[in-house]
Amino acid sequence: MREKGLPGPGPEVPWWRASLRSAAGQVFALQVVIVLLLAAAAMTALVVQANRGSEREAERLSITAAEMFANAPGTAEALQGPDPTAVLQPRAEAAWRRAGVDFVLVMDTEGIRVTYPDPRQIGKKFVGTIQPALEGRTVVERAGGPPVPAGTGTAVQAVVPVRGADGSVVGLVSAGITEENVGDLVERQLPIILGTGAAALVVSTAGTALVSRRLRRQTHGLGPAEMTRMYEHHDAVLHAVREGVLIVDAEGRVLLANDEARRLLALPADTERRRVTDLGLDGETARLLASGEPVTDAVRLVGDRLLAVNKRPTAPYGGQAGSVVTLRDTTELATVTGRAQLARERLKLLYDAGARMGTTLDVTRTAEELAEVSVPQFADVVTVDLLEPVLRGQEPPEMSPEAGIEMRRTACAGPDGAPSLHRVGEPVRFGPHSPVAAAVAGGRAVLDTGTGPGTADDPDRGFHSLLAVPIRARGALLGVAAFRRAGASSPFEEQDKAFAEELATRAAVAIDNARRYTREHATTVTLQRSLLPRGVPEQSALDVAYRYLPAQAGVGGDWFDVIPLSGARVALVVGDVVGHGVHAAATMGRLRTAVHNFSTLDLPPDELLTHLDELVAHIDANETADETADDARDGDGITGATCLYAVYDPVSGRVAAATAGHLGPAVVHPDGTVHFPDLPVSPPLGLSASLPFESRELVLPEGSRLVLYTDGLVEDRGRDLDTGLDILREALAGTGRTPEDTCAAVIEALVPARPRDDIALLVARTRRLDPANVAHWDVPRDPSAVAPVRAACARRLAEWGLEEIGFATELVLSELITNAIRYGAEPITVRLLRDRTLICEVSDASSTSPHPRRAKTTDEGGRGLFLVARYTERWGTRYTPAGKVIWAELSLQGAPEAAGLADDVLLDQWSDDAF
C-alpha cells in the first residue's frame, strides 16, 4: 500500500524510458556505468595479459631453438673445424625455419658471426650481450641487429653456450623473434578478446535492465527521498506504539516484529525470517500465532504476562498472504496472572518430581529425591520417614496411630541453619496427638499452622507451618512426608494440601517399586550365596583364593567350586548361566550340584562336560515346554551355560582341562610370565548339538598359578574382550604373590565401581607331592605275589611312621590286590600316597568294577569289600584309558571306631563276589 500523502507511480511506461528521478532509474544508470567500466577494465587486462603471454612465448621459443642447435650433434666439432661456416650455415637456415623463430646464428667466442640468415653479415660482430654465455649461462634480451628475412628492428633473442668435449665453451648460438612478429601474436587474439568483452557487456546490460525493472515494480516508481520519508514514518509509528505488532507470512515465518512485541514475547534478536515455532514460545502460543485463523482478544499466559491477542489476515488489504498480530498487555488481570503463575509453577514442580523420583530402584535414594525436589520451591525443609520393614524391602505392617508411630528418618532436605531435626538414620517416634499420627489415621494430608514451638507430640520443633502427608501405595502405609516452613516464609494454605498429596502419591509408587525390588534382589542374592561354596575344602594339592562379586543390577548365574578328588587330585570349576535373576541363580545351583555329583564318578573333564551338557539341554527343553505365554515374553528361559572344568594331579603336576563355551584359564609361571593356553573350542552347555567335548593336558611347574574367571571380569561397557585380557595379563604378571594378593590385584585393575555382570575369580597355586611320600610296586598276576607286596607296604609305612595303621592298610591292600589278581587283567600296580590321608590305589587293565553284595550266612567269602569299607574313610573306582583304579583312603590317626554293631554280625551281611 502507498502511504497517505505520497504521489502515485503515474501512468505505466516502458522500463527503458523510466525517469532517472525514480530509485529504479537511478539504479539502472549506475549499474550500466559500472558494467561499462568493468568491461573496459577487463578488456584492457586481457590485452596486457595477451601481450605479456606473447613475449613469454617468444622467449621460450628462442631459448628452445638456441639450446637445441647448440646441443645438436656436430655443432661443437664444426666450430672447432677449419671451415665452420660451410658446415653450420645450411644447418642454421634449416633450424630457424623448423623451430618457428626468425633467425638462428652461430658465433665464435669473440662474438664474430659464423652463420646468419643474410650471408653478407657473416664475419661481423654480433649485436648483443655474450659475456654471460661465455661463462656458461643463458642470456635472454631485446636487441637490434642486421635485418633478417622475417623483419627488422628489435628482436627477443636468446644466447646460449656451445660446449666442447671437455666442457669448455667453444662458441655461442643465438636464436630470436623480431618485435613485429611478437606483436602479430597479440593481434591475432584481439578479435576474440573484443568479441568476448562485447558479449559480456550486452549480457550484463540486459541483466541490469531486468533487475531495474523488477525494482521499479517493487518501489512503485518512488524516488529515494520519497521512499526514505515513507519508511521513516513507518518506523516512527511501528516502534512508538505501546502495542506489539507481528507480521507472519503464510508459512509461519516472522516478517516483522516491533519493539513492544519483542518485549512482551521475550523474542530473540534474530527473530525475522524464523518460524514462530522456533522462537522458544510455549506450544499453545506458538500454534495460535502460526495458524491462519483470525483471533479476537484471545487471552494467553506468556511468561509472567497475560496478553490479549488479535490477529487478522493481510491478503485482503493488498499485502502478501499472511497475518498481522497485535498484542496488548492486560495489566488489569494481575490477580488472574498471579494465580496462573502459581498453577504453572506447581505443574512444573510435579513434572520435575515425576522425572527425578524413581530414577534408581533404591528406597533411600527415592526418599531423598522427594525431599530434594520440594525444596525450596514448595517448602523450606522436607523430611521423609519410612517404616523399618519398608527399608528392608519387606511388606509394611499394620499401624495403630493411637499408640504412636515409630519410623526411621530416611531423608531430609533444607538450608543450613534450619531448626534442629532428627538426623537421617535415627529412629523418630510420633505421639498419638501429633500431626503425623493424625495424617496416618485419616489417610489424608494434615495442615498444622500453630505459631508456638509445636505440639508436645511433634519431635521436630521450630516451624510455624507443617504439612504431614502419608505415603501410601496399594492401600498400605509406607511412611510419612513432612513439609515445613519457617522464618519469613508464608504459611501453607488449604489449597496446598492437594498438591502435597499429589507429590506424595507419585513418590509412593516409586518407593514401593524400590521396596519390592529390594526384597526380590535380597532374596536372589541370599539364594545365590546359599548355593555358592562357603569356603575352600581342605586339600594339599593347591593353595586357593577366590573372589565373587554380584552384579549391581540383577543377580546372575556365575559360580565356582573346588572339589577334592581321589588320589590327592583337585577339580577346579568355574561356570556361568546365561541370564539374571532368581531363575539364573537357581539354575546355577542345580548345575553346581550336578558337577559335584559327576565329579564323584571321577570322570575325565570332557566326559563330565558331556553329561552336564545333556543335563542343561534336558532342563531347557522341560522348562520351554512348561513356559506360559507371559513367561516366554519375560525371556527367563535358559538359553545355555558355560563351564570350565580342570583337574590337577599333584603327583605328576598335570592339569587336564576342558571348556564348554567358557573363557580358557590363565597360567602364571613361577618366573612371573603369563600365558593363556589354547583349549579345544567347544560350544556352551545345552547348545552342543551332540558335538563332542575335548580336553587338553598341561604340565605346570610347582608354584605356578592357575587362574579361572568368568567373562564379567574381562568384559565391560566400553571395553572389548582383547583389551580386558591384556589388562588381566598385566595384573597377573609378577613373582612372589600369594593367591590372595593376586585376587586383590586383579579386582583392583579390572572391576568397575558398578559391575554390570557377576564376577567369579579363582586363583590356585600348585603344589607337588613329595616323591618321598609316593610308593609304587608292579604286581604279577600270581596269588603268591600278594604277601611280598604286603610286606613291602608294611616296611614303607614303618618308614613313614604309620605303624599304627599298618594292620588296616595290609588288610585293605590284601583284599584289593587279591581281587585284581583274581578278576582283573595285567598290568597290575599298587601305589601308596601319603597326604592328609593314606591313599591306597590298585590298578589293572580290566574295566569291570567290584560291587558289594550281601553275603549269605553259609558263604565262606564275599565280605572283602565290606572290610575295605569298614577300615577306610572312603573308597571307590576311577576309570582310566588303560583300565581302572580301585582306591581307598585311610585316616592317619587309625581305623574308625565301631558304629554300634559287632564286626562278626556286620561281616555276615555283605559279599564282594559279584562283579
Side-chain angles (χ1 to χ4, degrees), residues 223-353:
E226 295 172 330
M227 294 178 62
T228 301
R229 185 177 61 191
M230 183 184 70
Y231 284 107
E232 286 176 351
H233 292 173
H234 166 271
D235 289 341
V237 173
L238 188 64
H239 297 290
V241 297
R242 300 304 298 168
E243 188 167 343
V245 178
L246 282 175
I247 298 180
V248 184
D249 65 10
E251 295 180 1
R253 293 187 177 88
V254 178
L255 300 179
L256 182 144
N258 69 347
D259 295 342
E260 185 67 7
R262 294 175 184 272
R263 185 183 69 86
L264 295 177
L265 297 177
L267 298 178
D270 56 341
T271 298
E272 278 78 12
R273 308 310 303 173
R274 293 177 60 182
R275 293 185 180 275
V276 174
T277 54
D278 298 336
L279 297 179
L281 302 174
D282 63 274
E284 191 64 28
T285 302
R287 283 191 296 271
L288 177 65
L289 297 180
S291 67
E293 299 295 328
V295 175
T296 301
D297 289 333
V299 179
R300 293 295 308 159
L301 176 63
V302 179
D304 56 354
R305 298 182 179 89
L306 278 177
L307 302 181
V309 182
N310 289 274
K311 186 170 65 170
R312 294 291 184 272
T314 59
Y317 305 99
Q320 296 180 354
S323 302
V324 58
V325 182
T326 60
L327 308 167
R328 187 176 66 257
D329 192 0
T330 57
T331 55
E332 65 274 10
L333 300 178
T335 303
V336 178
T337 303
R339 293 178 180 176
Q341 176 70 12
L342 179 61
R344 187 177 69 85
E345 291 177 354
R346 293 293 170 82
L347 288 175
K348 184 176 183 302
L349 183 57
L350 284 177
Y351 174 80
D352 292 342

Side-chain angles (χ1 to χ4, degrees), residues 895-915:
E897 296 293 334
L901 292 175
D903 288 348
D904 291 340
V905 175
L906 294 174
L907 290 175
D908 290 338
Q909 307 303 315
W910 303 95
S911 173
D912 59 354
D913 290 340
F915 284 84

Side-chain angles (χ1 to χ4, degrees), residues 26 61 91 231 403 413 437 467 495 513 557 624 701 772 829 850 882:
Q26 294 178 11
L61 290 174
R91 295 184 184 180
Y231 284 107
L467 260 178
Q495 57 265 30
N513 288 339
T624 302
T829 60

Side-chain angles (χ1 to χ4, degrees), residues 451-737:
T451 58
T455 63
D457 289 336
D458 189 357
D460 301 316
R461 313 291 182 85
F463 299 93
H464 61 69
S465 188
L466 167 68
L467 260 178
V469 186
I471 301 176
R472 305 180 69 89
R474 299 182 293 109
L477 178 70
L478 306 178
V480 175
F483 303 89
R484 296 175 171 86
R485 288 182 180 176
S489 300
S490 60
F492 289 111
E493 299 179 358
E494 284 294 327
Q495 57 265 30
D496 293 326
K497 294 167 63 176
F499 174 75
E501 289 176 345
E502 177 66 21
L503 205 58
T505 299
R506 298 194 178 196
V509 175
I511 291 175
D512 190 54
N513 288 339
R515 177 194 64 80
R516 296 169 66 183
Y517 171 78
T518 300
R519 179 188 60 191
E520 294 175 2
H521 185 72
T523 301
T524 305
V525 171
T526 301
L527 172 63
Q528 186 188 44
R529 292 193 178 279
S530 68
L531 297 175
L532 289 171
R534 299 297 180 88
V536 177
E538 292 185 359
Q539 43 80 34
S540 302
L542 298 169
D543 183 11
V544 179
Y546 64 90
R547 294 289 189 276
Y548 184 85
L549 301 176
Q552 290 293 326
V555 175
D558 293 13
W559 92 92
F560 67 93
D561 226 327
V562 180
I563 306 173
L565 302 176
S566 63
R569 298 170 305 129
V570 177
L572 301 176
V573 190
V574 170
D576 184 4
V577 175
V578 176
H580 290 83
V582 176
H583 189 79
T587 303
M588 175 269 290
R590 298 166 72 178
L591 295 183
R592 179 171 176 254
T593 302
V595 172
H596 264 277
N597 292 336
F598 290 145
S599 66
T600 60
L601 302 177
D602 269 328
L603 298 175
D606 51 346
E607 292 185 19
L608 185 142
L609 291 182
T610 300
H611 289 292
L612 199 61
D613 175 68
E614 295 174 354
L615 175 64
V616 172
H618 179 71
I619 294 175
D620 197 13
N622 289 343
E623 294 191 355
T624 302
D626 294 340
E627 278 181 343
T628 63
D630 290 338
D631 292 336
R633 285 192 296 268
D634 292 341
D636 286 337
I638 304 176
T639 58
T642 65
C643 182
L644 171 62
Y645 186 84
V647 177
Y648 174 69
D649 186 353
V651 178
S652 62
R654 293 182 177 272
V655 173
T659 176
H662 201 86
L663 294 173
V667 176
V668 186
H669 292 279
D671 60 359
T673 59
V674 181
H675 84 283
F676 297 91
D678 293 330
L679 297 184
V681 179
S682 299
L685 299 172
L687 304 177
S688 64
S690 301
L691 295 176
F693 292 93
E694 298 181 40
S695 62
R696 180 186 174 188
E697 281 195 355
L698 307 172
V699 178
L700 300 182
E702 186 173 7
S704 301
R705 283 170 285 167
L706 188 64
V707 182
L708 285 68
Y709 50 90
T710 56
D711 57 358
L713 179 68
V714 293
E715 292 182 335
D716 191 57
R717 185 184 295 107
R719 183 179 68 200
D720 58 19
L721 177 60
D722 292 336
T723 303
L725 291 176
D726 290 339
I727 299 174
L728 177 61
R729 184 191 302 273
E730 295 177 0
L732 291 175
T735 60
R737 288 182 179 174

